[in-house]
Amino acid sequence: MTLTDIILKNANQGDIQREAGLEFRFFAKGQASVRYVGRIRGSGRRVAISLGRYPKLKLAEARELGREKRRLCDAGIDPRVVREARAAEDQKLLGPLVEQYLESLPENRPRTISDKRATLTLALRDLAKRPVRRITRSDIARLMDAYNDKRAARRKLFSYLSHFLSWCQDRDLVQDNVCRQIRPPKPVEPRDRVLTDDELAAVMNLQGSAWGTMLQFILLTGMRGGEVCKMRLEELDLRRGVWNVPRATMKQGKPHAVPLSNAARKIIKLQLEQNGEVWGPYVFGVGSRGERPYNGRSNGIEEVRRLTETTGWAGHDCRRTSITIMQRLGIPREIRARITGHALPRDGASAYEHYDFKKETQEGVEKLADELERIKQSKPVV
């Protein structure tokens, strides 16, 4: 008999209605459990598999599910085995798989893995409980749309997602890498902004701003903002004037000894005095006792630009400005790289050259500090 919604809605408790292998067993008026009942070709084994409940499961949906089960039975396949396999696939959720993916990247630098974890966790927070095989091209496109106003972050996210989905594809967790089905974001032009002397003077004269103080330290050392944020007290040797940055903090994944000028040491000493004796491990820490590294760069740069009445520059531009000033002062490129932790090109001779350039790098940061002080004093404090 061909069933209709009228027949099913009028069915009473205890009624059973059937159509082409579908079976509706009514436990209340108009409400039934739905299952497919059939036999597997070849073995003749009887199959009864639950499909859902009517009317939540619509008649048209029940028919489509029934046709699928019947095709499997006609092909000699037990639909229960297929359902169990699909259920197992559905347990491979996006969130846990991202963690497995990150743990399988020993060749990546710790800083890279940390950045991938932060980027992917934030972007995929609403999809973390979605089975990875159900991630679609439109899901990726919507994620990209959310980063339209952050071009560099958008391109980085796309790269990380594509690599993750390729990892899943290699392990037969997904059939296709859907990132390859959409147009990748365009490359972002590298920034070349350096601060003017007026802007430098305004930043170096600034007081009462946490990020402003850290930017002054960045200008004096040429280090990256993320590295300064994670500076720990145990890494400092103020007597020798060295900040020993561990490999986990450095972008290059190698430990780096940063020479500190007298001006840079003064900033650290004042910060430690301000922190007091009961303080956490991070010099520029946040929280009740500085137990976490500083994490307010976005709001901090807005505050600094407002207080200095400047616009159009970012925190990382201070590192570029610092290196540019050293270049202007005639400090050799090799010394600049050893001060700031930039990678140097390697050749055959580099394996035999082990001079540490401590004297030259210390002289370099003192020359940099003197120049910044000259610029600072050349402009009146606003």
Side-chain angles (χ1 to χ4, degrees), residues 53 78 120 151-152 160 175 191 204 237 244 247 258 261 270 274 298 311 335 350 374 379:
R53 290 196 170 191
D78 189 336
L120 292 173
R151 294 175 58 198
Y160 288 173
Q175 185 175 356
R191 288 180 62 88
M204 294 302 296
D237 185 344
N244 295 297
R247 70 173 69 246
V258 182
S261 62
L270 289 174
Q274 178 181 316
S298 295
T311 60
I335 304 305
S350 60
R374 182 192 69 78
K379 305 295 178 180

Side-chain angles (χ1 to χ4, degrees), residues 11-306:
N12 295 311
Q13 182 177 350
D15 290 351
I16 301 176
Q17 300 287 351
R18 296 183 175 90
E19 176 192 299
L22 288 178
E23 186 176 273
F24 292 76
R25 289 180 170 265
F26 287 85
F27 56 85
K29 184 175 178 63
Q31 300 181 47
S33 59
V34 187
R35 64 179 186 168
Y36 172 79
V37 180
R39 293 189 180 276
I40 302 173
R41 177 172 291 180
S43 67
R45 192 163 64 246
R46 183 175 180 273
V47 170
I49 184 168
S50 176
L51 303 179
R53 290 196 170 191
Y54 179 86
K56 184 175 182 179
L57 176 67
K58 298 178 181 178
L59 178 57
E61 294 171 339
R63 283 175 174 152
E64 181 58 35
L65 291 172
R67 283 192 290 268
E68 178 191 357
K69 308 305 181 213
R70 186 164 58 252
R71 283 194 296 268
L72 291 170
C73 288
D74 291 345
I77 302 171
D78 189 336
R80 293 169 297 187
V81 174
V82 174
R83 183 176 65 176
E84 290 171 1
R86 288 178 179 173
E89 287 296 313
D90 281 351
Q91 293 305 308
K92 295 168 184 175
L93 304 181
L94 195 62
L97 280 175
V98 167
E99 285 301 318
Q100 292 180 33
Y101 158 72
L102 294 170
E103 292 171 3
S104 73
L105 303 175
E107 73 280 4
N108 279 193
R109 297 168 181 151
R111 183 183 174 117
T112 302
I113 293 177
S114 176
D115 187 53
K116 284 186 175 181
R117 175 175 282 107
T119 300
L120 292 173
T121 301
L122 176 62
L124 300 174
R125 63 187 183 278
D126 294 332
L127 298 174
K129 296 184 179 180
R130 176 90 64 86
V132 69
R133 67 186 183 88
R134 296 188 184 179
I135 298 299
T136 65
R137 180 175 61 179
S138 62
D139 290 325
I140 302 299
R142 281 193 291 270
L143 283 176
M144 293 298 104
D145 289 344
Y147 284 75
N148 280 341
D149 59 340
K150 300 177 181 178
R151 294 175 58 198
R154 186 171 185 257
R155 185 168 174 82
K156 180 173 69 172
L157 173 60
F158 183 85
S159 174
Y160 288 173
L161 281 172
S162 183
H163 191 266
F164 165 65
L165 291 173
S166 291
W167 178 88
C168 292
Q169 189 177 23
D170 291 343
R171 288 154 181 79
D172 292 326
L173 299 173
V174 296
Q175 185 175 356
D176 298 304
N177 180 349
V178 291
C179 280
R180 295 174 182 164
Q181 300 173 11
I182 66 175
R183 184 176 299 174
K186 293 181 180 179
V188 179
E189 294 181 2
R191 288 180 62 88
D192 57 4
R193 177 76 153 84
V194 294
L195 276 67
T196 65
D197 282 3
D198 285 345
E199 291 168 335
L200 278 170
V203 173
M204 294 302 296
N205 278 303
L206 185 61
Q207 297 181 4
S209 167
W211 184 233
T213 299
M214 296 167 75
L215 289 176
Q216 293 168 2
F217 188 82
I218 291 169
L219 286 165
L220 287 164
T221 59
M223 294 300 288
R224 299 174 182 88
E227 295 158 355
V228 175
C229 288
K230 296 176 182 177
M231 180 194 295
R232 298 169 70 98
L233 182 59
E234 64 193 37
E235 299 165 2
L236 292 168
D237 185 344
L238 295 180
R239 183 182 63 81
R240 293 176 55 242
V242 178
W243 169 27
N244 295 297
V245 189
R247 70 173 69 246
T249 302
M250 289 297 296
K251 182 178 181 180
Q252 300 297 333
K254 297 179 181 179
H256 176 52
V258 182
L260 300 177
S261 62
N262 289 326
R265 276 183 273 185
K266 182 178 179 181
I267 287 178
I268 295 298
K269 289 177 181 178
L270 289 174
Q271 183 66 32
L272 296 179
E273 290 176 6
Q274 178 181 316
N275 292 346
E277 294 184 3
V278 183
W279 193 252
Y282 296 99
V283 175
F284 296 103
V286 294
S288 59
R289 294 182 177 178
E291 70 274 8
R292 301 191 310 277
Y294 182 86
N295 59 357
R297 284 186 281 175
S298 295
N299 292 333
I301 192 63
E302 291 182 7
E303 177 193 56
V304 170
R305 287 193 296 240
R306 176 176 54 81

